[in-house]
């Protein structure tokens, strides 16, 4: 491991809701305030602030991190915003890590906020500009297309059915029923509900997709000497990795996320993990769509290519299975305020490894977990491995 | 951890419709004129002449489409224009029943990634499929470009109306 040892020592979040009355600043403050309170720190203990938030176009506010900065505790402090699309939430924790690991700062407050509901009539409008303006946008694409195209390529490569994939949505929405911040927890949802939901862009159906959401999440990350003073249960960042594939997405093999594998290899190397299937006890891969959880589990090398659906069907990824996956309820269940959703996954690993996840607690005292996010033009992977 | 979840205030659609909450609306007036660039200008000229044009990299020998002036894999300048065929293979497709703002469509749109014959393996472009029963679509299907008539072509990706199944 390079640099100083860095721990997550506190976490807080807002409820994830379809439309919050709070402004983005107010949401940011709510999460940051609770994260500091959770480790009995104040803003005076914070040396620098990292902000993660997705496109400015959601809010119609240019340089959104400057707008958000006071709600994030950034007044009078070194502040940075990283932005890698949907990968931002986990990347913000990576930035928090290297701010501290570098020795520059003792304690960093990491705040991720997203308010998607402001964008009218639908926040998809903000996403349409990711397509190439000359070679693609004249075809009037909509964002669902690329997910549908990728999901179909994945299903075709391994001969998967919709039923094989729908189990993920069911698991995550059921898990979310135990999450106090969840927007779409549902203890009674069934595979038939998913298969009977309206077809949006085949093979994507309504219940394969995570909801538009508002929310914020914050973490406090500290250097070894501070972490040991403020808590007796620090959760150490053991490895970080991130990687980007080509922006020519139609030139890639959409059935396998190579960039997630590269990000995972970087994080595993740093964490000294040679057998991820034995050494990772909980995983929170990015699940904006049900097939993405499976796709990412394969990219993370936690299952062989094409095998994650069978593992899900066999119950291995249930909260009490051999490898609990998205015990939080994930984006499909808790909600998907883009950057905040990624950081929620890091927070979930923090709570799980401390044994503080309440009704969601994974049995067996897990010692090591992983959070992963994904984004941009389906091309970026961000991974954090944490342990106690 | 419940004590560290802030009870944010949820608003319903009715709160807006019935004016129970205060808000501010704004419509941006943002217009753009994008230059097509060196490689894509040539691509668009080709489309106007009913030809698909790629570009090859002398280092890895890949034939790239859409064409580009540098190979992002080798980070090396590409050096040759290559005329490709207007046929290809469906790498993946969808049947889309809604617009981006969630308006229902009677007939599905059929976007696809199509690997173009004459380019390197896996080199696809995004386009639409047509003249085909949506339920008959399949990955691996062979297709051909349906070009708009010459007087309707403007040097745009839409000079290809869509791709339709190829009878071989
Ligand atoms: Zn090359």
């Amino acid at each position: 491991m390079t640099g100083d040892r860095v721990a997550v020592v506190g976490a807080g979040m807002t409820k994830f809701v379809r439309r919050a009355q709070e402004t983005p600043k107010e949401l940011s403050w709510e999460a940051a305030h609770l994260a500091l309170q959770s480790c009995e720190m104040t803003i005076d203990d914070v040396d620098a602030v990292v902000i993660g938030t997705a496109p400015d176009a959601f809010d119609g506010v240019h340089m959104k991190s400057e707008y958000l900065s006071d709600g994030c505790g950034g007044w009078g402090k070194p502040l940075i915003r990283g932005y890698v699309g949907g990968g931002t939430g986990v990347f913000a924790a990576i930035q928090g890590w290297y701010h501290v690991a570098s020795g520059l700062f003792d304690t960093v407050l990491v705040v991720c906020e997203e308010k998607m509901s402001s964008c009218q009539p639908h926040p998809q409008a903000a996403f349409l500009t990711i397509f190439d303006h000359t070679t693609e946008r004249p075809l009037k694409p909509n964002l669902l297309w690329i997910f549908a195209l990728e999901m179909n390529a994945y299903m075709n490569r391994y001969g998967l059915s919709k039923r094989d994939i729908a189990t993920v949505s069911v698991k995550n929405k059921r898990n979310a029923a135990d999450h106090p911040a969840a927007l779409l927890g549902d203890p009674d949802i069934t595979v038939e509900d998913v298969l009977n939901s309206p077809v949006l862009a085949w093979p994507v159906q309504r219940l394969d997709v995570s909801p538009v959401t508002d929310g914020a999440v914050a973490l406090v990350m500290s250097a070894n000497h501070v972490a040991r003073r403020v808590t007796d249960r620090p959760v150490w960042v053991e490895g970080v990795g991130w990687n980007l594939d080509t922006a020519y997405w139609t030139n890639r093999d959409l059935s396998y996320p190579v960039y997630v594998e590269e990000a995972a290899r970087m994080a595993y190397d740093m964490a000294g993990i040679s057998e991820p299937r034995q050494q990772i006890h909980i995983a929170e891969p990015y699940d904006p769509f049900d097939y993405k959880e499976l796709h990412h589990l394969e990219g993370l090398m936690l299952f062989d290519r094409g095998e994650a659906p069978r593992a899900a069907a066999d119950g291995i990824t249930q909260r009490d299975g051999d490898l609990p996956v998205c015990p939080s309820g994930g984006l499909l269940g808790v909600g998907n305020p883009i950057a905040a959703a990624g950081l929620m996954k890091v927070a979930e690993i923090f709570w799980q490894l401390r044994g503080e996840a309440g009704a969601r607690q994974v049995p067996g005292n897990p010692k090591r977990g992983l959070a992963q996010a994904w984004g941009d033009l389906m091309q970026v992977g961000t991974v954090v491995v944490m342990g106690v | 951890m419940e004590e560290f979840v802030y009870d944010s205030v949820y608003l319903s659609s009715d709160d807006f419709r019935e004016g129970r909450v205060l808000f501010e609306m704004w419509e941006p007036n943002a217009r753009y004129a994008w230059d097509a660039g060196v490689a894509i200008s040539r691509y668009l000229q080709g489309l106007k002449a009913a030809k698909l044009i790629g570009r090859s990299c002398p280092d890895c020998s890949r034939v790239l489409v859409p064409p580009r002036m540098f190979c992002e894999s080798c980070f090396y300048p590409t050096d040759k224009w290559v005329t490709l065929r207007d046929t290809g293979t469906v790498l993946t497709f969808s049947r889309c029943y809604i617009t981006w703002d969630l308006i229902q469509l009677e007939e599905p749109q059929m976007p696809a990634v199509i690997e173009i014959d004459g380019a390197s393996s896996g080199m696809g472009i995004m386009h639409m499929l047509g003249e085909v029963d949506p339920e008959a679509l399949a990955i691996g299907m062979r297709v051909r470009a349906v070009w708009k008539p010459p007087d309707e072509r403007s040097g745009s990706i839409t000079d290809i109306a869509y791709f339709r199944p190829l009878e071989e």
Side-chain angles (χ1 to χ4, degrees), chain B residues 7-27:
Chain B
D7 199 7
S8 33
V9 184
Y10 172 76
L11 300 178
S12 71
S13 304
D14 285 347
D15 290 332
F16 289 85
R17 266 197 297 275
E18 294 166 18
R20 295 198 290 249
V21 290
L22 298 174
F23 59 92
E24 188 67 41
M25 284 290 285
W26 181 66
E27 286 189 42

Side-chain angles (χ1 to χ4, degrees), chain A residues 295-312:
Chain A
H295 213 223
H296 292 150
L297 286 170
E298 293 169 17
L300 292 164
M301 298 170 283
L302 295 172
F303 295 100
D304 288 342
R305 295 186 189 196
E307 292 298 319
R310 187 183 307 165

Side-chain angles (χ1 to χ4, degrees), chain A residues 35-326:
Chain A
L36 289 169
Q37 203 172 73
S38 76
C39 52
E40 297 176 4
M41 284 193 175
T42 71
I43 198 66
D44 295 336
D45 299 312
V46 171
D47 302 311
V49 172
V50 171
I51 294 181
T53 189
D56 288 354
F58 277 155
D59 297 82
V61 173
H62 183 53
M63 295 179 68
K64 197 161 57 161
S65 60
E66 279 68 5
Y67 161 77
L68 287 172
S69 59
D70 42 9
C72 297
W75 183 67
K77 295 188 194 298
L79 181 142
I80 191 170
R81 170 201 192 178
Y83 178 42
V84 286
T88 298
V90 171
F91 188 65
I94 295 173
Q95 286 189 297
W97 170 78
Y98 62 64
H99 271 55
V100 178
S102 65
L104 263 179
F105 305 106
D106 283 342
T107 293
V108 171
L109 179 61
V110 179
V111 186
C112 287
E113 181 278 341
E114 214 69 69
K115 181 153 184 164
M116 300 174 73
S117 64
S118 305
C119 190
Q120 303 293 313
H122 194 281
Q124 260 223 46
F127 286 127
L128 298 178
T129 57
I130 69 172
F131 290 97
D132 184 90
H133 53 57
T134 305
T135 60
E136 294 175 341
R137 269 192 251 176
L139 298 168
K140 302 191 170 29
N142 89 51
L143 188 73
L144 277 171
W145 289 10
I146 54 175
F147 296 104
L149 294 168
E150 187 179 69
M151 183 170 177
N152 195 12
Y154 175 60
M155 288 171 64
N156 182 71
R157 167 63 57 89
Y158 302 112
L160 305 172
S161 68
K162 284 299 311 280
R163 185 173 289 275
D164 296 329
I165 291 171
T167 59
V168 172
S169 191
V170 171
K171 168 179 68 71
N172 291 4
K173 289 176 194 292
R174 287 186 180 180
N175 283 350
D178 294 321
H179 199 300
L183 172 60
L184 280 190
D186 181 350
D188 302 317
I189 190 172
T190 64
V191 166
E192 301 308 322
D193 293 335
V194 180
L195 297 179
N196 294 330
S197 64
V199 177
L200 303 178
W202 190 90
V204 174
Q205 292 172 256
R206 172 82 64 202
L207 292 179
D208 295 315
V209 189
S210 58
V212 168
T213 317
D214 294 352
V217 179
L219 297 182
V220 181
M221 301 177 79
S222 290
N224 188 19
H225 65 280
V226 177
R228 293 197 181 280
R229 195 176 72 231
V230 299
T231 178
D232 50 8
R233 282 175 299 167
V235 174
W236 303 103
V237 176
E238 298 184 338
V240 301
W242 67 103
N243 196 276
L244 195 74
D245 204 339
T246 173
Y248 290 96
W249 66 277
T250 59
N251 293 172
R252 283 195 255 129
D253 175 3
L254 297 177
S255 69
Y256 185 73
V258 175
Y259 46 92
V260 173
E261 178 179 329
E262 295 295 330
R265 285 188 188 284
M266 178 176 165
Y268 294 161
D269 281 352
M270 194 180 292
I273 290 174
S274 52
E275 298 289 339
R277 293 175 200 195
Q278 272 80 55
Q279 292 171 276
I280 299 289
H281 306 149
I282 319 173
E284 280 277 343
Y286 207 58
D287 62 321
F289 290 70
D290 45 12
Y291 81 95
K292 288 306 296 180
E293 172 170 312
L294 304 167
H295 213 223
H296 292 150
L297 286 170
E298 293 169 17
L300 292 164
M301 298 170 283
L302 295 172
F303 295 100
D304 288 342
R305 295 186 189 196
E307 292 298 319
R310 187 183 307 165
D314 290 347
I316 290 171
T317 58
Q318 295 288 333
R319 199 181 275 149
D320 58 358
D322 285 350
L323 178 66
V325 175
C326 291

Side-chain angles (χ1 to χ4, degrees), chain B residues 93-118:
Chain B
F93 67 88
S94 176
R95 293 184 288 269
C96 188
Y97 293 90
I98 52 162
T99 61
W100 67 271
D101 51 352
L102 308 185
I103 294 165
Q104 203 74 27
L105 297 169
E106 278 306 310
E107 294 299 318
Q109 297 172 304
M110 295 178 282
V113 177
I114 299 156
E115 181 184 65
I116 301 298
D117 292 343

Side-chain angles (χ1 to χ4, degrees), chain B residues 56-62 64 70-78:
Chain B
S56 66
C57 170
D59 198 40
C60 64
S61 307
R62 291 192 305 164
L64 308 160
F70 56 91
C71 171
E72 79 276 20
S73 170
C74 309
F75 215 56
Y76 201 79
T78 54

Side-chain angles (χ1 to χ4, degrees), chain B residues 27-71:
Chain B
E27 286 189 42
N29 180 8
R31 290 157 199 268
Y32 298 87
W34 294 298
D35 297 307
V38 181
I40 297 299
S41 290
R42 180 71 181 261
Y43 185 55
L44 298 180
Q45 280 172 3
L47 291 168
K48 198 169 180 183
K51 283 186 168 51
L52 272 163
I53 302 218
R55 180 99 171 149
S56 66
C57 170
D59 198 40
C60 64
S61 307
R62 291 192 305 164
V63 178
L64 308 160
V65 66
R68 56 211 79 159
M69 297 314 290
F70 56 91
C71 171

